[in-house]
Amino acid sequence: MFKKKFFLIFFIISLFFISGCWDMIDIERRLFVVGVGIDKPSQEEIERQRKVLEEPENFTPRYLITYLSPVPSAKIEAGGGEGSYFTKSTTAITLDAGVRQISTRIDKRLFFGHSKLVLFGEDILKDKNIVLEMIDYLQRNQDYNWHILVGVVEGKAQDVLNIEPKGAKGIVPYITGIMESRQETSRVADVTLKQFIVNLGHEGIVALPRLVVAPDEVKVEGVAIIKDFKLLGYLSGLEGRSLMFLKGTIEGGSVVIKYLNEFIPFAIVQADVKKKLKVTDEGLQLTYSIETEGQLNEGIYNRDFSSIENIRTIEKLIEEEIVRDCNRVIKRLQKEFKVDIIYGDKYINHFHPKIWNEIKDNYLEVFEDMDIRVEADVKIRRTGIVK
Amino acid sequence: MNSNEEKISALQLGLLIIVTVIGVGILTLPRTVTEIADTDGWLLIIIGGALVIVLALIINSLGNMFPDKTIIEYSQELVGRPLSYLIGSILIIYFTLIAAYSVRIFGEVLKMYLLPKTPIEIIIITFLITIIYLVRNNLEGIARFYEIIILIMFVPYFLALSAGTWELDYSNLLPVFQLSPKVILGGVLQVVFSFSGFEVLYLFIPFVSDKQNIKKTLIIVISIITIIYLITSLIVLASFGSRQTKALLWPLMAYIKSIEVPGAFIEQLEGIIMTIWVLFIFTTISTLYFSSTFMASRLIKVREHKIFSTFLLPLVYIIALQPENVPDLYWRLDILSIYVGTIVIVIIPIILLILAKVLKKGVKTNV
Amino acid sequence: MRVIKKNKDSKDKNFVPVLRELDKNIEFLEDIFQDCDDIVSREFTVGVNQNHRMYISYVDVMTNEDMIQQHVLRPLLLEARLISPDPGDIKKKLFELVLKGTLSASDIEVKDNLDEAVLAILSGDTILLIDGVTEFIVISTKGWPTRGLSEPPGESVIRGPRVGFVETFRYNTVLLRRSIKDPRLKIKNTQLGERTKTNMGIAYIDDIVNYKVLEELENRLETIHIDGIFESGQVEQLIEDDWLSLFPQIQNTERPDIVSAALLQGKVALIIDNTPTALIVPTTFNDFMQFPEDYYERWWIANLIRWIRLSALIISFTLPSIYIAVASYHPGIIPSNLAIFIAGTRETVPFPVFIEALIMEITFELLREAGVRLPNQLGSTIGIVGSLIIGQAAVEAGLVSPIMVIIVALTAIASFSIPSYNFTISFRILRFIAMVATGFLGLYGLILVVIATLVHLSVLKSFGVPYLAPIVSGRMTDWKDSIIKAPLPSIKERNSYTAWGDRKKLRDLRVDIRARTVDIEPKEDGTIDKGKNQPSHTQNLKKPRKIGNKDNDRGEKDE
């Protein structure tokens, strides 16, 4: 009995020692890729890389992939700061081949479990098949977390990742920090990989945050609109705010109005949107009722905000401003882009399934001509600590 | 026949059913029900759960008519010796196959999420050896193990599920009640299969010390499983919407992948959840494996089941490695549950119950 | 005065009759004790005429020599001369006279088997042989130098009795008897060890104990035929259920209050001579996680401490494995900054994580072992040298990553915070097994070891009680004192898995204290509710009012 047990245990242990540990890669042998940039390679880039890489002649590389990684030892000594990140770029035919190729040029294994950001260059998003490929790769690959952030660069993603921003630990914490500061700016709606994948499933329509390259700086503002798996165009930062009002995702930021020749910013504390569908003779009428609360932080010296009438007037002005902005965005969406990224389809699908079943096959056409109205209800709750 | 040592309580039987039923099926359940019934999947789960309660109670009343007897013995009284051997063999094969394919699914998922380069053979063999370490013991010891493991299983599971609830979009659950009765009838059987595992009741009822409590326990336990299924698939559906849920191979794992833990002390939740999930599969397969060896020892009338548990290992190992890839595996599992599963879960208990009533055999009980 | 006649059974195999001739008896004894120079024997004569020969024998220093002087020799040699009974009678009644009239020692026994005399002498008793009598007297004169009662160093408490068992069997039973003054507390004596003849007492409370456990214990003790027992640990290993198991299945303690509390839970204690450590059966996992202070302190503290102990247990079992798993298999689990930091600190380390962890853990075990063996002053030096100097140097040289040192230190602290030493050892061994498994299969390996451990624990039984009771197969009422600790007033029953018979632990006759103390202030009408103690006829009487009476201030104002 005891002998048998002993042999069994011996067998199990020897099994391991004979065969070894297959997945063991020590942590310092891994390269943590914190940011990935995907671009369309330019011709000279392809030529340059050709010298380094051996690739089948008959295939032209379709991707220029840039990986951003921290330099591990720099991280401890300097506690972060400049020079603690480095990038590696490669051209590749597929994204997976990119990983293989970079592995031949670096002594470590790439690890994507700590990725924080995936950036797409503007050009790469103009090819539908490539977008489809990229989505499938990001979706099928179990390495990537689904809560990493996605953005579109107006220009090249490689350039963004190569920037060393001042006063920040690195470019990736810098960008994700801006994207996540929804409560401050309200110009950017962060989109996670999961939202990206899920939304693209609906007709290939998604709105991604836009990044603009400036020397030594990146600006995250505005929205890139993708329809039918292709980049269609951009909305500006202010339009992005209206978009967030319509989506109901706004959590902060401000609306500036002009009141008696003075500029007064209305700081949004909280906002909500309610939708309502009406079937009229001309077709469908979708009403967005925006309800928002906030406070006035700035006026002009000695301006008295204490009278209720004044407050009412200001509220009215803010409401008009919001409605005007939103209507402008809706017009652009309906006429210029012909995409519904303000969740109208979702609303009809979920709350009016019968109507949805009638229109779902040609919804975008219906959307184009839909009568969309915006109402706003602004409440100023506080006016700061002076009268 | 049953010594005093091998008695378990009705509560222990209930826990055994919970940990046995919840296993491989929960990975795919959100997709299965969404494929059949779209956003009305929850309704399907409730109806399926109710049906399973009925089936479980049928098995229970059979067990009560023949206290001290497992299906091997009482089917002999009802349908004669040759047919009872057939039923016994079907059950043994069914349990063995389900166990083997579950081991394979387990290995594939583990390879996918935790150990991409480790050979699946190693994963399976280490797992099976650990299972044998458990199933060599008697029913009482196994029941005790389940009692302690159930805490370790479900507390982290629900913590993980709830960690993602702050960013769910509950409007994805709409619209409701769009379902036609035809779809329900067609799909409910498939949901019943995701409860498979409760049929081990065939074996274990005679070993329960407080038989009068079984009925109540079964109803409660299967309701609990239904609720757990319900919560899981609703959360997954709310997270992805019906369209994306249908597209995912293992929607539950995808949901866990997308969770961003508030406070960010854990970056990737899936590593931890996979580790917990090992326990879910371990309990499921252990029960099936135990049932299989236990029935075999009953069929050949050997008192000791231990010897079978060692012999079964190579068999399960070989069967588990048979499917060529994951789609093949799921195809085999589907075939198995549609044909054999229907016989085992639905047809056998109903026929045996009718026979028992008609032939007026068995002890009359008021339970 | 206690006189017992027993062991008259002459069919005993080793029966050596006491002969009428004193010389032959002496010859027999001296033959046995040849070359045993520690045995003192003396032959003397008693009586007015010095015509009664007697013989005493005992072990030097092992007996209370004062007592022999005062209560044996002095009465026989001196006081017996003062009385002069009828000389004709004395020959016949000599034995009875000595037994009942002369010896002033209190604990004496009469025996007739010389073989037992040997054992009695070796146990520290004195035997008295009288010429012409076929019986002899065993006078209990046990008394040897013992250390005083002191607090056991391994089980010290902040609040609680500071007394521990000592090496003397009788002192230990006294400690028990002192705390449980109940005739139903039984202490049965047996002996174990073919050569050492170690005394043992099986203590239990008659109407609470689970008789099956008691019978089982006695049966198992009977099967032991070993040459010597020096410590309870030997007995423990001979009677435990599963000797292959890593886990101790019998609790040991030096604290009488732990033993008393266990007895009141229906357990059986085994007290063994020559060792201060007592054994308690049956024992469950739970018992190793508890400490008397849990009961002496308020329940909040007890709960907090128990959870901390449980986490300490989990940490000491799994933390190095989790580190290995995270650092060499699944770095995605930990926060990004931490992962990058660990990778940075490991840049210079020449070993793989798994080997590094093994080396560090083994080094730590070495230090611990060295510290235990050395005297106290040196032991702390080892600690400083080991932890501070070696650790610091290794980290600075880049041989070991600082995280690893933190992990090892945390593991060590965690394993010290569990009250039971032998229980900690099981987890120390398991820790290494878990580390090896994790080294090969990552988190999957770790969870397999955890599963196997849990399987083992749930199958394991201690004297028929499941090791994991009451978490498994117990009643819900037993949970009140497990990993959670309910407030003391709510624990009204003994644990169902150990106690049979009388299950009532606490009869709570208190009225709700809060309700009773509300009315200390006078009521509005000036009466004072004195509660239950107030005689009924005064309840309706108003207190006579006096203006300016402070007690009535509020009443006046309200009017």
Side-chain angles (χ1 to χ4, degrees), chain C residues 288-289 308-320 361 364-365 368 407-429 431:
Chain C
F288 292 109
M289 302 293 287
I308 287 174
R309 273 188 214 133
L310 189 67
S311 358
L313 192 76
I314 295 168
I315 287 174
S316 89
F317 178 14
T318 59
L319 189 67
E361 282 295 331
F364 165 69
E365 295 293 334
R368 164 133 107 182
I407 298 277
V408 171
L410 261 180
T411 315
I413 292 168
S415 74
F416 283 129
S417 63
I418 297 159
S420 174
Y421 175 72
N422 54 347
F423 191 58
T424 323
I425 291 178
S426 342
F427 280 94
R428 266 158 72 185
I429 300 167
R431 181 199 307 154

Side-chain angles (χ1 to χ4, degrees), chain B residues 104-120:
Chain B
R104 178 63 185 271
I105 294 179
F106 163 78
E108 292 290 346
V109 175
L110 204 72
K111 210 167 147 52
M112 192 69 164
Y113 287 98
L114 279 187
L115 301 167
K117 298 238 162 50
T118 308
I120 195 159

Side-chain angles (χ1 to χ4, degrees), chain A residues 183-185 251-257 262-270 293-305 311 314 318 379-387:
Chain A
Q183 298 203 337
E184 293 302 318
T185 57
E251 278 173 23
S254 64
V255 177
V256 184
I257 51 142
E262 295 150 16
F263 291 101
I264 298 176
F266 166 68
I268 302 157
V269 172
Q270 153 200 352
E293 279 182 23
Q295 58 189 33
L296 301 180
N297 287 340
E298 192 183 338
I300 193 160
Y301 186 61
N302 275 349
R303 163 69 61 210
D304 189 358
F305 283 140
I311 296 282
I314 297 172
I318 300 168
K379 292 264 184 312
I380 295 172
R381 297 290 186 203
R382 276 155 291 272
T383 55
I385 55 173
V386 292
K387 231 175 126 186

